[in-house]
Amino acid sequence: MIDPVVAQLQALVRIPTVSHRDPDLVDVAVFDEFVAELERQFPLLHERLELTRVDTHGLLFHWAGRSAERPVVLMAHLDVVPVEEDAPWQHPPFGAEIHDGAIWGRGTLDDKGELVAICAAVEALLDADFRPAQDVWLSFGCNEEVSGSSAVLAVEELRRRGVAPWFVVDEGGAIAAEAFPGVAAPVGVVGVTEKGITSLELRVDGRGGHASTPARNGPTVRLAKAIARLDRSPMSASVPDPTVELFRRMAPHAPRALRPLMANAGRLRPVLTRALVAAGPETAAMARTTFAVTTLSGSPALNVIASTARAGVNIRIMIGDTVAGVLEHVRRTIDDEQVQVTVVEANEPSPISPYDPLHDDGAFALIESTITEIFPDAIATPYVMMAATDSRFFTEICSRVYRFAPFRMTKAQRESIHSYDEHLGVDALIDGVRWYRRLIERIPA
Ligand SMILES: [Zn+2]
């Protein structure tokens, strides 16, 4: 017999809840349908938990526990990124077909799998008349992929009601196979912080004019020089504490030659930093703030000199660096007063949630031991997330924010997120439901 959770996920993946930066482009009817289908699939949850609607389709459920002293928040989001026109999906992206023991479709991993696993765990516990030791809140955002404004409003609502969460679990990490070369065991990575996203615009104005009589050092040339200087001068690198801990925990499972470096990552931080920077762009991003020049514009015509040249720079700020420090670095490196630097968006890196026994009051330990119980072969460890999640807004009301999806994922699956061929194993989904269920059952009084 197929577990009913499979059909529940299929029904919800088939509703294409694509979010857009421009609210006018959102298909409201599709989101209405999703919210109605969620209620059809999880009737007990909707009957017994108190629902507050936030934003257009954000959902905030309150499950009263035996105590309201140390509430727990479980998060997910119901929107997905669009499917690119000619992306080579093997199976229809909104078909939710089952092939090779997996459910295929946009959102299976990001983030309807988590949403359905949380709801299925709660539904099963309600059916067994279970009451959690502490209040449990479910916060499901409707625009995580574009702005996260519904998560901001959920935080406001919780604050208004005086709810100070003990800890928060949102998407992010996973039970990752093939996570590190030479490490055979899957790694259960729990994000304890995330890099900050900041965007700048560089702009140079000039006279413009006819392309037959160019002056030297015009706007496009000045802009190009500024970009080249930024590319040549990265900010200083260093390995943050959670990454040291990640290497320390993986060390016993790593190839023998790498073990001493990994086990002593704290003491050998400078060596490890150089190794990460040298090993390629992915590992370098683990050690420093990154700058990517993404958009460029000059004159609209081939025979016209640009009167304005612009470049957009997307920056991911490393733990330890700040928006102010990054701006200072950019201005100093470009060293040209005619290049105007404007901040488009500014987000600091998130504070680090506790994970070591000295600072953890049991929240991380609870997540960690639940990982070990359901995934006994996995190495549970903290890590720094490179991408952003809705949970960053919850750091304002909670100092223990953890980013972890309890699903086994191969490297190919992780790469399919926001890309094509996204799919979640049926067994992985069922394990995920078990993980959330055990987490809720094990919340201490
Ligand atoms: Zn997501």
Side-chain angles (χ1 to χ4, degrees):
M1 201 199 82
I2 301 176
D3 193 301
V5 73
V6 174
Q8 287 165 333
L9 179 57
Q10 283 179 302
L12 293 164
V13 167
R14 286 180 186 135
I15 304 171
T17 44
V18 177
S19 53
H20 287 277
R21 228 164 247 285
D22 178 354
D24 291 341
L25 294 176
V26 174
D27 190 337
V28 174
V30 167
F31 279 81
D32 287 342
E33 191 191 340
F34 187 95
V35 169
E37 185 62 40
L38 192 71
E39 181 165 359
R40 259 194 302 280
Q41 295 294 343
F42 301 102
L44 282 181
L45 188 157
H46 285 79
E47 193 186 298
R48 300 205 202 150
L49 272 55
E50 177 210 5
L51 170 62
T52 308
R53 293 282 295 257
V54 289
D55 210 334
T56 55
H57 296 86
L59 308 173
L60 182 65
F61 290 97
H62 177 216
W63 187 6
R66 292 196 297 278
S67 161
E69 227 170 277
R70 295 202 298 172
V72 169
V73 181
L74 303 178
M75 293 176 65
H77 60 89
L78 46 94
D79 62 319
V80 295
V81 293
V83 168
E84 273 178 61
E85 198 79 9
D86 30 54
W89 284 78
Q90 288 182 55
H91 307 291
F94 296 107
E97 294 177 6
I98 296 180
H99 298 277
D100 308 318
I103 305 146
W104 292 68
R106 172 63 84 224
T108 47
L109 298 175
D110 181 15
D111 188 42
K112 292 178 180 175
E114 286 89 321
L115 181 85
V116 165
I118 292 170
C119 291
V122 171
E123 191 82 1
L125 287 167
L126 289 169
D127 192 44
D129 283 322
F130 175 85
R131 191 167 179 207
Q134 304 286 341
D135 276 13
V136 173
W137 295 79
L138 314 180
S139 180
F140 302 147
C142 63
N143 49 22
E144 192 273 346
E145 301 292 1
V146 287
S147 65
S149 65
S150 72
V152 174
L153 292 175
V155 168
E156 253 170 47
E157 175 67 17
L158 289 172
R159 210 200 297 258
R160 200 183 59 76
R161 296 171 70 147
V163 177
W166 175 33
F167 71 86
V168 173
V169 178
D170 193 11
E171 63 175 335
I175 303 294
E178 310 148 86
F180 192 81
V183 176
V187 187
V189 282
V190 181
V192 293
T193 178
E194 54 195 67
K195 287 175 94 172
I197 300 185
T198 290
S199 298
L200 305 178
E201 187 189 69
L202 310 182
R203 175 187 169 133
V204 188
D205 293 322
R207 282 185 51 102
H210 198 279
S212 61
T213 54
R216 290 198 62 199
N217 224 1
T220 48
V221 175
R222 274 185 186 273
L223 183 69
K225 284 180 182 165
I227 293 169
R229 284 188 197 123
L230 263 187
D231 193 49
R232 271 199 307 270
S233 313
M235 288 184 76
S236 60
S238 94
V239 178
D241 290 340
T243 311
V244 165
E245 184 64 13
L246 166 79
F247 280 108
R248 219 182 53 75
R249 292 192 186 203
M250 283 195 306
H253 309 267
R256 199 167 291 275
L258 288 176
R259 279 184 212 167
L261 172 62
M262 290 169 71
N264 298 296
R267 214 159 33 78
L268 300 173
R269 219 180 277 242
V271 184
L272 184 65
T273 303
R274 281 197 296 277
L276 288 178
V277 170
E282 272 154 37
T283 48
M286 294 171 73
R288 68 182 176 207
T289 295
T290 58
F291 296 81
V293 176
T294 48
T295 57
L296 267 181
S297 66
S299 143
L302 254 176
N303 60 352
V304 173
I305 291 174
S307 55
T308 300
R310 286 193 179 91
V313 190
N314 190 255
I315 303 168
R316 305 299 169 107
I317 305 182
M318 193 63 206
I319 319 313
D321 289 343
T322 59
V323 174
V326 164
L327 273 175
E328 147 104 52
H329 170 85
V330 169
R331 292 208 170 97
R332 205 180 45 232
T333 304
I334 292 177
D335 192 27
D336 182 345
E337 277 170 15
Q338 293 197 41
V339 179
Q340 303 161 51
V341 179
T342 315
V343 178
V344 180
E345 56 168 342
N347 292 290
E348 302 285 357
S350 297
I352 300 178
S353 299
Y355 55 86
D356 63 298
L358 267 180
H359 304 96
D360 177 34
D361 63 351
F364 185 82
L366 176 66
I367 291 169
E368 192 183 358
S369 57
T370 310
I371 291 175
T372 312
E373 181 184 321
I374 305 294
F375 308 99
D377 56 331
I379 311 161
T381 175
Y383 86 120
V384 177
M385 267 195 69
M386 302 285 127
T389 67
D390 266 352
S391 71
R392 68 184 184 281
F393 303 116
F394 281 70
T395 58
E396 297 205 0
I397 54 166
C398 180
S399 57
R400 298 167 207 85
V401 174
Y402 301 104
R403 299 127 178 115
F404 173 71
F407 296 138
R408 289 184 188 273
M409 292 184 205
T410 62
K411 193 158 188 273
Q413 281 176 302
R414 296 197 297 279
E415 286 167 357
S416 74
I417 293 171
H418 288 210
S419 179
Y420 59 90
D421 278 351
E422 193 176 342
H423 62 284
L424 172 62
V426 167
D427 292 343
L429 172 61
I430 293 166
D431 281 347
V433 178
R434 287 173 56 221
W435 188 83
Y436 283 116
R437 181 175 176 150
R438 287 298 291 143
L439 184 78
I440 297 167
E441 285 174 340
R442 299 177 71 228
I443 295 170

